[in-house]
Amino acid sequence: MSQTLIDSLQENIALITSDGTIYATNRAWRQFACENGSDQGYSDIGRNYLETLKNAGSMEDVEGIKAVLFERAPFYESKYACPSPQNERWYLMRATPLQQDGKVYGALIAHRNITEEELQRREVYDVLESMTDAFYAIDYDWRIMYLNYQAA
């Protein structure tokens, strides 16, 4: 994948090998690292992303990405909070396989900032929970998807 192409993406992007080693990152990934305390010339190239996650205690993410790398899952997603000095930000991490000749040789790791969506979701939740009437939501198959405190 060309550097120009991945640099044009807004998400924080890293490409990893099948053992988890980062071999490419985009501009947004590097900028995020600098904003969070890394030196301007900092690079994750050569760092093992799976080991970094493991050291951070994110074993569910490690196993999810391994499932993608070993073709046990078509993708993996995880939502997480990322505290910063200014405020808390939320991200959605998605791992998708990189394939050549039908074989997985690595994965694309994308972190998308979903802070605005998460704040809206929390606001809706707070409103629903503060209602004095019972409220529930159902899906198209009539399964209950949500009950507020009054309905429970």
Side-chain angles (χ1 to χ4, degrees), residues 64-79:
I65 294 170
K66 281 183 177 181
V68 170
L69 292 170
F70 298 117
E71 301 182 55
R72 296 189 306 262
F75 67 91
Y76 172 74
E77 284 187 343
S78 173
K79 181 170 74 168

Side-chain angles (χ1 to χ4, degrees), residues 8-136:
S8 69
L9 300 172
Q10 291 180 335
E11 294 89 359
N12 304 339
I13 303 291
L15 304 178
I16 64 171
T17 62
S18 58
D19 73 348
T21 303
I22 297 173
Y23 67 90
T25 59
N26 72 346
R27 184 178 300 124
W29 182 283
R30 294 185 300 273
Q31 182 178 344
F32 180 80
C34 288
E35 289 170 359
N36 288 283
S38 297
D39 296 331
Q40 189 66 31
Y42 176 81
S43 173
D44 278 328
I45 305 299
R47 176 175 286 203
N48 189 296
Y49 188 65
L50 298 176
E51 285 298 316
T52 300
L53 290 173
K54 184 178 173 183
N55 292 338
S58 301
M59 289 309 296
E60 185 175 330
D61 292 335
V62 170
E63 293 307 315
I65 294 170
K66 281 183 177 181
V68 170
L69 292 170
F70 298 117
E71 301 182 55
R72 296 189 306 262
F75 67 91
Y76 172 74
E77 284 187 343
S78 173
K79 181 170 74 168
Y80 66 95
C82 183
S84 72
Q86 300 86 9
N87 56 11
E88 185 173 64
R89 296 174 290 176
W90 285 86
Y91 286 86
L92 178 68
M93 186 265 290
R94 182 177 176 102
T96 54
L98 296 173
Q99 296 181 342
Q100 188 170 13
D101 300 325
K103 294 204 177 252
V104 173
Y105 68 90
L108 182 144
I109 308 296
H111 295 258
R112 183 171 60 88
N113 188 328
I114 59 167
T115 303
E116 197 63 37
E117 295 96 330
E118 182 63 19
L119 293 174
Q120 288 174 358
R121 186 195 67 75
R122 287 179 176 198
E123 187 175 325
V124 168
Y125 176 81
D126 289 345
V127 168
L128 293 175
E129 286 301 316
S130 69
M131 292 173 61
T132 57
D133 294 327
F135 176 85
Y136 62 94

